[in-house]
Amino acid sequence: MKDQTAPKYMQLKQEILTWIVTAQFKPHDKLPSENEIARQFEMSRQTVRQALGDLEQEGWLYRTQGKGTFVADTQSSERKPSPQGMTIGMITTYISDYIFPTIVRGVEASLREQGARLLLSSTDNEKLRERSSLESMLHEPLAGLIIEPTKSAEGNPNFDFFLALDARQIPYVMLNERYADIDAPCLRVDDELGGYRAADYLLINGHRRIAGFFKTDDYQGVHRMRGFLRAFRERQLPVTAEWVVRYSTEEKENRPLEALERMLDSDAEERPTAIVCYNDELAVSLLNIVRQRGLSVPGDLSMIGYDDSSLAVATEVKLTTLAHPKTVMGTDAVELLMKLISKRAQRSSQPDIVYEPILVERDSVKPLV
C-alpha cells in the first residue's frame, strides 16, 4: 500500500492505480469485486466504493451494469493528445547539476517549437526514485517519454514499469545509455572511443604513468574505462592496477580524492604524470587536491576531463576534455520520439544515435616529448 498517513480510500485508490499503470490489469480487464477488494485490504465496502468511484470519474475505470468494474482504455485514439498540446515526459538522473540543464534546455526548446509541453522528473541517480518517477509519469496522459537510466550498469529493477510503458503503447527513447534488457533506441556518445582518445592523447604526448578515474555504476564510466585500457593494450604497455580507480555514485565525494592523495604521496618519479577523469566535475575536484599539495596542472600533473561542460573553463586551468553534444542530443531525442509517436518509425527498427567524442585541447596537458 501507499502513504500510510493518507485516508484509506486514497491509499486504496493509489494501489489500484498502480495495478493499472504497471499493466497488472490491462484495458477492459475486469477488476476484483468490491467484496473481494474489501477482504484483501481489510477495508469497508464503502471505502472501496469511494476509491473506485474516484477512479471512474477520472477516466481510469468504467462500470457495466450487472457485470462489474473494468479498466478503461486511456490510450484509445479519441483520448490521445493532438500534436499541439501533447505532453512529453522526461526523466533524468539530475536536473540542475552539471551538463543536465543544457540537455533539458535542448529538449524543452524543441518541444516548444512543436507546441508540446515538457513534464520533468529527476531520480537523483537513485533506483527507488526512478521507480517513483516512472509511476508518476504513467499517471499522466503522456504521448511519449525520454529517459536517462539510473545507474545503468547495475541492472534494471524497474523492468515492470518499462513493460507497462509498452502495454500502454507509450513510445520512449533513452539518453546517454540504456539498460541491457531494454530495446528502446538510445542517443549516446561513443564513450569507449572517448576513453581511448583521452589515454591515446596522453600517450602520444609522452606520458606512460597515467591514472584513470571512472564511475562504473553507469555504462558510460564502464565504456570510458574500457577505451582507456584499450589504448594501453594496443601499444602493449602495462597498466598499474592501483591507478585504475573505480567508484560508485555514493563514493564520488571521497574515494577518487583519497586515491589521488595516496598517489601523490609517492616520490615524483613513482607517481602518475597524468590522469584521465570520468568527467569534468571530477577533474575540478581532483584539481583542488593537486593545489593543496602545492603542485600544479599541467606543470606537475597533466589532466583530461570529459563532457566539455562549463566547469572545463571555470578555473584558472582550462581543461582538455572530450565534448558531449548536450543541446543537440536533447533536440535529436525529441525528433526521434516524434517519429515513434506519429508511427513514422517502429521502435525496434531504430538504430542508436551515436555521437563521436571530439577531443577539445586546452591547457591541462603538458607534453613530455
Side-chain angles (χ1 to χ4, degrees), residues 54 125 151 227 343:
D54 274 14
N125 215 31
K151 297 181 180 177
K343 305 297 184 183

Side-chain angles (χ1 to χ4, degrees), residues 155-318:
N156 181 16
N158 302 321
F159 183 69
D160 54 335
F161 279 91
F162 289 94
L163 292 181
L165 290 170
D166 292 339
R168 297 187 61 198
Q169 299 182 351
I170 299 175
Y172 59 95
V173 300
M174 307 201 86
L175 290 184
N176 288 323
E177 264 301 340
R178 70 155 67 78
Y179 289 120
D181 52 8
I182 298 296
D183 66 354
C186 178
L187 299 94
R188 59 183 177 84
V189 177
D190 187 339
D191 284 304
E192 182 170 339
L193 179 59
Y196 177 88
R197 285 183 171 172
D200 186 60
Y201 182 74
L202 292 171
L203 291 166
I204 289 171
N205 278 278
H207 293 272
R208 293 296 180 267
R209 304 200 306 271
I210 306 171
F213 296 77
F214 305 99
K215 187 166 78 70
T216 53
D217 53 10
D218 61 52
Y219 280 128
Q220 295 99 299
V222 172
H223 295 322
R224 291 170 195 179
M225 181 180 67
R226 186 178 296 162
F228 172 88
L229 296 173
R230 179 162 63 89
F232 286 86
R233 189 167 60 251
E234 288 185 1
R235 288 173 172 75
Q236 298 183 337
L237 294 171
V239 178
T240 302
E242 306 85 64
W243 290 357
V244 180
V245 180
R246 300 185 295 174
Y247 63 96
S248 67
T249 298
E250 291 73 22
E251 297 171 321
K252 71 177 185 177
E253 302 295 338
N254 49 66
R255 183 175 172 81
L257 281 64
E258 292 168 358
L260 180 60
E261 286 180 332
R262 287 194 297 272
M263 294 176 199
L264 296 180
D265 283 338
S266 302
D267 294 336
E269 303 78 32
E270 297 178 351
R271 66 190 182 213
T273 62
I275 59 175
V276 172
C277 303
Y278 167 76
N279 61 14
D280 298 335
E281 184 179 42
L282 176 65
V284 170
S285 295
L286 296 182
L287 179 60
N288 288 330
I289 299 297
V290 177
R291 288 197 199 99
Q292 290 168 15
R293 291 299 184 101
L295 304 174
S296 69
V297 172
D300 299 293
L301 185 69
S302 292
M303 179 180 291
I304 294 184
Y306 205 111
D307 292 329
D308 195 23
S309 68
S310 59
L311 293 176
V313 293
T315 70
E316 77 282 1
V317 179
K318 309 309 177 189

